[in-house]
Amino acid sequence: MITALTSAMTMTNEDPLALLPEICLLAGALLSLLAGSFLPRQRQWVARLIAVAALLGSAAASVVALAGPARTVYTSTYAVDDATGAVRLIVIAATLLVIALGVSEVSGTARESETYCLLLLSALGTVVLAGAHDLLVLAVAFLLASIPLYGLIGLARTSAAAEAVLKTYLLGALTNILLLLGVALLAALAGATTYGGLTTELADSPAPAVAVGVVAVLGGLLFKAGGVPAHFWVPDAAQGGTVTAAAFATTVPKIGALIAIYRLLEALPRGGAAGLDWPLLIAVLAALSMTLGNLAAFGQDDPRRLLGWSTVSQVGYLLMPVAVAGRTDEALPALLLYLAGYAVTNLGAFAVTAALPERRTLASYRGLARQQPVLAGALLVCLLSLVGTPPTAVFTGKVAAFTAAWDGGLAWLVVVAALNTAASLFYYLRWIAPVFRPDAETDGKSRSRGDASSFPGFSAPRSPVTGGTTRASAVVAAVIVLTFAVTVLPLANHFDLQLTR
Amino acid sequence: MSVLSIVVFLPLVVACFLVAVRVPDTAARWIWCALSAAEVLLIAGMWLGRPADPSTSLDFEQRVGWISTVASSYHVGLDGLSWPLVALTVVVFASCSVYALNEGNRPRLHAALFCFLQTTCLGVFAAQDLLLFFVFFDLSIVGMYFAIAGWGHGQAARSALMFFLYTFLGSLALLVGFIGLYLAATPHTFDIVELSRTAPLQGSGSVGVLVLGAILLGLAVKTPTFPFHTWLPPAHTDAPAVGSAVLAGVLLKMGTYGFVRIAMPLLPDAWRDWAWVVLAVGIVSVLYGALVALAQTNLKRMIAYTSVNHMGYVVVAVGAAGVLTGSAEQARQVAIVGAVTQMVSHGLITAALFLLAGVVHERTGTYDMGSFGGLARPAPRYAALFAIAAFASLGLPGFSGFIAEFQVFTGAIATAPISALAVLGILITAALFLRALQRLLTGETVGRSVGFRDLGAVEMCAIGPLLILALAIGVLPAPLLDVITPTAGQLVDLVGR
């Protein structure tokens, strides 16, 4: 009794400092918007500086917070544990990369400061989504992550972007209503909205009602994750939006969404009337997502649309550790590892497309290895990583995810994922192959024996190449992807990576 | 840091240097040559200086924590199974580096790519951790894809894609099997030494059989055995000569090496359950490979199919080594020693044959045996080397192939008399090589043979040493067999558990 009381007292823990990383992001968003309103067009870079400073401050606060104990704050509605800490760092690093790769595109445009504001707000929503330990916080975080995203995708002002934003908005609105419906239903059944409350109170609720509620919430979260069956907006956003928006929308929101699904599934009571076979449902969704994403990517000719479909298939692999949430200790580390590896890899690939805005078909990448050997190398590393070739970032994530899924009793899903991985090689190679094919014009020259001018980089580039920051972000991403197993991985080993309950 | 790690990663360092620095073409070619000479010297020194007592632990062992979340470490070391293959790797790559002194198409990147491939090959044979093994195994596929796609001829892009897709699927099956082994071990580990000590799936029934099935699938694709060999002929036909030599000489060995390094010691009882299947697949590979090779008119395709035949002998031997009932331990040990010897022998001889086929293509642009005749008159040196390689390949006594195949059959027939069927393979191989010799070398000098330039000094220096080594092993096999035999004995004990 006494312990219950003390735990109840610590639960009403109102600690604003625990939310310092989130506060930094919010402040950065508002300040960059305000600064942008007062700055002349050619000095909008100050807004970028503010955004970057806010992200770095948030990162520093996150690192400090990681050293603290795992706990929940604000009447147990928000979890500050290693998972939240890892998501904060991944989201911040990803947002920094997005800003860097978008410099050449966004710099000096009319919507520069607004872009940074929207990026930071959506990143904030993503972090809160991952930390949410309460259904109402989850609903708010969903809105906070989604609404800036609609704005971001619509920034391009082209007809393709208009179509993309309309699709995203309509699907987002629909799934949002579903999510709210699910939250309402679960809250009514449990008489509580915190996850701790769900665990204890849902155990005796009627199973069909719980199932409807959870499926509705999952529907909303799958929209954010870009997984089947709420994936239709992803390829359009990847193709139609600005590169900045496309890179952000296909990478960052799913980080929060997948952790949110993980937390929700862990909170659901096991056994009893409401103990349904959630792993099977998630596993089937994972299998569908990876298969459908792969099949649709086969025929794509636009590299960004191809990346869009490839992210749908990647969500399938990411759902593997989610499916075994709570059934094996390896699930959460695997999920976080894969998320980190995937984020940097996907952003690296988008950074290369951002550096080569003129090339909008796979065929136009022909001869890139000669004209831009560095970018070609970065692209090669990132695409091979998306395939899952060792020793790259996604490979380590995939091994961990496969291991977790098998350990959690889903060996069949591992076989499906392995087959899908092999199939995915085909469309990534459709992009890699032209990069290393000799340029049409220099073909004859390169075949002549011992011709020094046939070295890559000697012939004049076919299309103009944009800013150094974009190129640098591609290279940095590729280097991280390549050295992931010896640089990022040892850091991850320091954490114990268990959720607070 | 162990000397072995230096040997493994030195080529990678050179590869990075060659990619980053735009050295002149000639310098790039010679840098590769110098590197491979250094590697040969290092391995030769290590071979001579290895510890006297071979049975206790791994030579030049090194273990450093790597991915602690999945208990995987950077663990390398050599024993009697890996020593011959590491030595084979540096020799074949050295040959190729000499042959590539004539390479005119982007020689700097060519050298860099093959240096990278050398690291992956050495890494596979030195690895004592399943995940590390897989990393190098998979990277070798990526490297070979670019070798075929970038420097191949004919339908290079298509063949390279087929090679990549097929072997990548095989490697994923391997990964699934590795994860099964990892999860079965308590505590979870990817370490090969620990796994072979505990054999975690021992007595687990169907799980062990399924895990071994996945691993066998992966290795069978790589080896390749019938019916998973279909990627091999197009890959070889369209690969450059150096690429073919490395692919047949070294990369195929990764599959058969996996049998003796991973499948047999880690899953002994499942291996015994599968032994008859493996044996049958081996016999079919031997006969099918030989018969299809007999029907070829394309020289390189013919050599490619003889690889299926020759690797079939290895599969027969390892399959027979799993048949315990009514067999002597000694016979099984002889079969395994024969299998490892065959890997080395095939690596040397087939690398030489593929380089010789490359010479034909470079001179005339075709592999069609019908376009030639009477090559011995304009190109006597070529004819001599080709004849030696062909006789070595068909298992003539005095060459390494005889030592290997003799032991394979002695061991295999003693344990499983059905293996005698595979002896037919030798007969067919002899027929097809003699016929190829007749078509190419003897008779009137006609067709493309007219004006055929004989082997130059560079080509002689590239191909000659391979055949000299094959001859040396054939005459004096003891230094090689002494290294293999103790470890083969341990392997027999492990499988017999």
Side-chain angles (χ1 to χ4, degrees), chain B residues 112-474:
Chain B
L113 180 60
F114 278 87
C115 286
F116 167 76
L117 262 173
Q118 186 168 358
T119 286
T120 64
C121 295
L122 290 170
V124 166
F125 296 131
Q128 296 293 343
D129 182 279
L130 288 177
L131 212 54
L132 192 65
F133 178 93
F134 181 79
V135 167
F136 287 121
F137 189 91
D138 226 25
L139 283 177
S140 75
I141 298 174
V142 177
M144 188 46 73
Y145 167 79
F146 281 102
I148 299 175
W151 282 267
H153 39 254
Q155 294 186 309
R158 192 172 174 278
S159 299
L161 179 66
M162 187 168 170
F163 163 79
F164 202 159
L165 282 176
Y166 216 134
T167 49
F168 192 68
L169 183 65
S171 81
L172 285 168
L174 207 55
L175 180 63
V176 170
F178 288 176
I179 290 175
L181 274 170
Y182 165 78
L183 290 173
T186 38
H188 294 343
T189 181
F190 277 112
D191 197 76
I192 294 178
V193 178
E194 280 172 31
L195 285 170
S196 71
R197 193 167 54 232
T198 54
L201 282 167
Q202 187 82 320
S204 66
S206 61
V207 179
V209 170
L210 285 176
V211 167
L212 184 60
I215 291 177
L216 281 182
L217 176 65
L219 297 175
V221 169
K222 187 82 178 179
T223 301
T225 67
F226 177 87
F228 305 108
H229 64 281
T230 47
W231 61 268
L232 182 83
H236 269 309
T237 312
D238 297 333
V242 182
S244 277
V246 168
L247 177 56
V250 183
L251 259 64
L252 300 192
K253 307 299 170 296
M254 293 178 184
T256 47
Y257 175 73
F259 287 122
V260 291
R261 166 63 63 212
I262 294 165
M264 297 171 79
L266 270 51
L267 293 150
D269 63 344
W271 180 265
R272 296 197 296 270
D273 290 346
W274 278 90
W276 287 104
V277 177
V278 174
L279 188 62
V281 166
I283 293 172
V284 173
S285 289
V286 166
L287 296 177
Y288 180 86
L291 284 171
V292 180
L294 187 64
Q296 299 303 316
T297 55
N298 179 316
L299 176 62
K300 219 173 174 191
R301 262 184 113 80
M302 183 196 87
I303 303 172
Y305 275 110
T306 63
S307 286
V308 177
N309 160 274
H310 280 117
M311 299 317 282
Y313 296 129
V314 179
V315 178
V316 166
V318 293
V323 179
L324 248 55
T325 43
S327 71
E329 190 169 304
Q330 170 122 32
R332 281 179 273 133
Q333 182 174 354
V334 169
I336 290 175
V337 174
V340 179
T341 317
Q342 173 72 348
M343 293 185 215
V344 177
S345 163
H346 175 260
L348 294 170
I349 297 166
T350 306
L353 276 170
F354 273 121
L355 291 180
L356 286 164
V359 170
V360 167
H361 188 269
E362 199 182 307
R363 304 271 204 276
T364 63
T366 180
Y367 292 121
D368 181 31
M369 287 190 280
S371 322
F372 296 92
L375 256 182
R377 199 178 307 275
R381 289 196 293 274
Y382 183 87
L385 255 58
F386 191 87
I388 294 172
F391 280 116
S393 185
L394 64 81
L396 195 72
F399 288 102
S400 55
F402 172 75
I403 305 287
E405 283 160 28
F406 176 75
Q407 294 188 87
V408 165
F409 282 116
T410 310
I413 295 175
T415 48
I418 187 91
S419 316
L421 276 178
V423 179
L424 274 176
I426 297 190
L427 201 64
I428 305 171
T429 323
L432 71 93
F433 270 116
L434 290 176
R435 211 173 52 152
L437 284 178
Q438 271 180 4
R439 279 192 195 171
L440 284 174
L441 306 181
T442 61
E444 288 293 306
T445 305
V446 291
R448 308 275 188 134
S449 301
V450 180
F452 192 93
R453 189 159 45 84
D454 205 356
L455 292 181
V458 164
E459 289 152 342
M460 290 292 284
C461 289
I463 301 164
L466 292 172
L467 296 175
I468 292 172
L469 267 173
L471 183 67
I473 294 173

Side-chain angles (χ1 to χ4, degrees), chain A residues 68-132:
Chain A
R71 62 210 162 113
T72 56
V73 290
Y74 289 94
T75 359
S76 191
T77 56
Y78 194 75
V80 183
D81 52 15
D82 280 348
T84 306
V87 167
R88 281 169 176 165
L89 289 175
I90 299 170
V91 167
I92 289 165
T95 311
L96 278 171
L97 257 177
V98 169
I99 289 178
L101 74 86
V103 164
S104 61
E105 182 187 55
V106 178
S107 176
T109 60
R111 298 275 168 270
E112 185 168 1
S113 57
E114 288 89 333
T115 304
Y116 301 134
C117 172
L118 291 173
L119 283 176
L120 258 60
L121 283 177
S122 191
L124 172 62
T126 301
V127 171
V128 178
L129 202 56

